[in-house]
Amino acid sequence: MGQAYRWQPLDGIGLEHLHLDYRDEVIVADGVVVGDRGDGPFGCSYRICCDAAWRVRSVEVHAAGGASLVLTSDGSGRWCDGDGVAQPQLAGCIDVDIAATPFANTLPIRRLGGALRQRTRIAVVYIPVPALIPRRMEQAYTRLAGQRYLYEGPIGEFQAELELDAAGLVRHYPSLFARIGDP
């Protein structure tokens, strides 16, 4: 069973379309994003596969007319590139943060669940768009009242109070994204 979601940036031109599918013990997120960033217009597609506990097991990102990235994980923080070469600089990261999509916030929120009643620091594989050069980044999440979460990332540089739906997907990300055409 799958569900489609869409977001638009609050500043500039763009659109994201995400298809989220639950298949047996695998959660598959297929998304397409077009927009403008500091470097100009971009387009990319991504696929994130998670296990039933919302641990990222693989991520593929393809920038239109440019770079591609494939990473796989054992779900415990060990990463390899698409050729199976270990990526020790990403060790300890369970989640990914593709810069162009608010869906990336769903991953740690769903994976950590009740642990987010208090501020929880995590390390993620941060993937900037359109360069697609992954690096480790420290972030933090705290559950506030209802379906609101405080996101901090990178620690000390940025904060946003995210409004989510009951499934853990962003409805409103102040100054960056708003969901449109809710299912």
Side-chain angles (χ1 to χ4, degrees), residues 93 97 122-126 135-139 151 153-155:
C93 299
D97 183 351
I122 61 172
V124 302
V125 176
Y126 176 74
R135 65 181 172 90
R136 180 185 179 92
M137 178 187 287
E138 301 290 322
Q139 300 179 344
Y151 163 71
I155 301 287

Side-chain angles (χ1 to χ4, degrees), residues 3-8 15-20 29-34 44-46 101:
Q3 186 69 49
Y5 301 89
R6 290 188 175 176
W7 291 271
Q8 65 185 17
L15 182 67
E16 174 174 0
H17 178 86
L18 168 72
H19 183 82
L20 188 59
D30 284 310
V32 177
V33 185
V34 294
C44 74
S45 63
Y46 66 88
T101 175

